[in-house]
Amino acid sequence: MNTWHGIIRIIAVVALSLTTGPAITREPEWVPHLQARGIKVSAGIWELSSGKLIEGFQTELGLIPASTTKVVSTYAILRTLKPDFQWVTSVLGDLDKGVVTGDMVVVGGGDPFFTNEHIWNLAQELKAKGVLRVTGSLRLDQSAFDSQRYGTGWENTSSNTTPPILPLSVNFNRTARGNITREPEKLAIDVISNIFKNAGITFDGRLDGGESKKVIATYKSPTLHSLTNSVNKLSNNFITEMLVKNFGGGSWAKGIDRIQDFYKLNLDIAPQDIQITDGSGLSKLNRLSARTLSTILRAAWHDFEVGPEFVASLKYIGAEPGEPRIKDPNLTRRVRCKTGHLDNVDTMCGYIHMPDGSIRVFAILLNGPCTWQDVEYILKVWAN
């Protein structure tokens, strides 16, 4: 048996054992209060080792998952591409004796973290190659992605969380003041050209030069492992969607298809159980269940190759920035999790270190007039 398929089949068997164990018929005590307020619930907690359901309610009901969607996208991408994977930004031009004749072209390779510091490093690489002057101008090549710049279903989400997604994106497509730009190419040209000029590379701006496909220099993105930390700890939507479009060869739809195919092949989770249109969870068209999220989390924990990197990417209660907003000292460093929030959506999934030393996996999805305190209450019931 091929080693890869052998490992993944073991993971699948472990994950699917979430369905084992006696049926839970007793309704949890926290359910009536939520239902009385019109809140839809899909929630459950399982033993990590055996997959036995400890307590749950409508664990197979698909609800809007918000940012817990990132668990689905990051594990599939991390498992497929591996933690040390990097994306490459290339600079093309016809260089001779320090002069690039014609335009200099920066080719976007899908680096989600192409920021001022990294652009400066690229400028130093060009200087090391002897580049002093460009007779033409600076141009961008955005051909690695298709023309879709905004995710499907983002119409009902905050405009402050939906930057355009392009393969050559600078500073997360945000201005120096942190505002999303609707002119990402202009921003990229301005930032890159200014940094290059400050590094001592001049541009004549002549229009009579040609264009070359010769690679002068390249710059690699941070590793996928590092980027996954930003996605799951800080819930960075921009990086997530850059990863998904990269995963699909420049297409959101193909990236989503590839994620669904990964789970169908490796964990036998049907595509209808992973109904997503994006990777970050901004879309309210997404539907996931507590069982699906917990199956993936349990498989990731038992994945020797990338499981440690995945689990470490999750935030933990007690010391890390941002959500969760739980400050219970009894839970400090006992819960590693991914949280999610949209209007009328509060979610959380991850792992709990129990007082007896065992580990449990859980998922809580609430849709309706819920609050973060509702999620916190369920978590405290389970953890203590």
Side-chain angles (χ1 to χ4, degrees):
M1 178 185 293
N2 179 279
T3 302
W4 158 260
H5 289 293
I7 293 172
I8 224 58
R9 285 186 65 183
I10 291 172
I11 295 172
V13 170
V14 170
L16 287 173
S17 65
L18 280 168
T19 61
T20 64
I24 304 297
T25 57
R26 178 176 57 85
E27 183 179 274
E29 55 88 14
W30 39 265
V31 170
H33 173 66
L34 296 174
Q35 290 188 314
R37 291 157 51 203
I39 298 171
K40 296 180 181 178
V41 183
S42 179
I45 180 168
W46 292 259
E47 289 183 353
L48 182 65
S49 58
S50 68
K52 178 184 177 182
L53 180 63
I54 304 300
E55 182 175 81
F57 184 73
Q58 298 184 136
T59 60
E60 297 186 14
L61 176 64
L63 295 177
I64 302 170
S67 281
T68 56
T69 306
K70 294 179 175 73
V71 165
V72 177
S73 52
T74 55
Y75 178 60
I77 295 172
L78 194 65
R79 190 45 163 110
T80 303
L81 300 183
K82 311 308 178 192
D84 58 351
F85 191 90
Q86 295 172 282
W87 286 269
V88 177
T89 301
S90 302
V91 178
L92 310 183
D94 188 4
L95 176 63
D96 182 40
K97 297 179 181 180
V99 178
V100 174
T101 302
D103 292 337
M104 174 183 282
V105 181
V106 183
V107 182
D111 182 351
F113 216 95
F114 199 50
T115 59
N116 286 1
E117 179 183 358
H118 296 163
I119 296 167
W120 174 260
N121 289 335
L122 179 57
Q124 300 312 303
E125 177 67 17
L126 289 168
K127 290 296 295 292
K129 295 293 180 66
V131 178
L132 298 173
R133 175 170 155 252
V134 179
T135 65
S137 302
L138 183 70
R139 295 198 303 106
L140 309 180
D141 184 334
Q142 302 279 23
S143 61
F145 287 3
D146 63 20
S147 60
Q148 184 181 359
R149 296 187 173 190
Y150 300 93
T152 302
W154 286 7
E155 298 83 3
N156 296 321
T157 58
S158 169
S159 61
N160 192 46
T161 60
T162 55
I165 307 297
L166 293 88
L168 195 291
S169 293
V170 167
N171 295 330
F172 313 107
N173 285 332
R174 291 180 180 269
T175 67
R177 294 184 177 182
N179 299 319
I180 288 174
T181 179
R182 299 303 172 187
E183 297 180 296
E185 285 96 342
K186 182 180 184 303
L187 173 69
I189 288 287
D190 290 345
V191 171
I192 296 172
S193 60
N194 286 335
I195 292 175
F196 282 10
K197 289 174 184 176
N198 288 335
I201 300 172
T202 62
F203 292 85
D204 296 348
R206 284 168 28 193
L207 301 177
D208 57 349
E211 153 184 352
S212 173
K213 296 186 180 297
K214 296 179 182 178
V215 176
I216 304 175
T218 60
Y219 190 81
K220 291 184 177 181
S221 73
T223 64
L224 178 55
H225 176 206
S226 173
L227 295 170
T228 301
N229 284 340
S230 294
V231 168
N232 287 334
K233 279 186 169 58
L234 302 176
S235 207
N236 190 303
N237 298 319
F238 175 82
I239 293 179
T240 310
E241 302 305 348
M242 288 285 282
L243 295 181
V244 171
K245 289 208 75 170
N246 274 309
F247 200 51
S251 163
W252 250 303
K254 291 180 180 178
I256 297 302
D257 286 346
R258 195 176 178 190
I259 289 171
Q260 292 174 325
D261 289 346
F262 170 87
Y263 288 111
K264 175 59 179 174
L265 174 65
N266 298 317
L267 298 183
D268 201 27
I269 300 175
Q272 59 264 32
D273 293 323
I274 300 181
Q275 297 183 36
I276 56 175
T277 65
D278 65 13
S280 66
L282 282 172
S283 173
K284 286 192 173 182
L285 299 176
N286 295 341
R287 295 292 184 275
L288 295 169
S289 69
R291 181 175 295 278
T292 294
L293 285 168
S294 298
T295 299
I296 293 169
L297 285 164
R298 190 159 178 261
W301 181 279
H302 290 283
D303 186 341
F304 180 83
E305 186 173 5
V306 305
E309 287 86 355
F310 174 82
V311 174
S313 76
L314 300 176
K315 64 183 72 176
Y316 59 88
I317 290 178
E320 295 195 345
E323 289 184 335
R325 289 157 281 186
I326 298 173
K327 297 179 176 61
D328 185 348
N330 187 47
L331 296 179
T332 297
R333 297 198 68 90
R334 288 184 53 207
V335 179
R336 283 194 175 271
C337 59
K338 182 73 199 77
T339 57
H341 174 75
L342 293 170
D343 184 35
N344 286 323
V345 178
D346 281 294
T347 60
M348 187 178 190
C349 64
Y351 311 96
I352 303 176
H353 186 207
M354 301 301 293
D356 64 2
S358 65
I359 305 295
R360 293 179 180 176
V361 60
F362 73 94
I364 303 167
L365 294 92
L366 305 180
N367 287 185
C370 51
T371 68
W372 183 249
Q373 286 71 32
D374 295 317
V375 174
E376 180 178 1
Y377 179 76
I378 299 171
L379 180 65
K380 288 181 176 181
V381 169
W382 286 345
N384 301 312

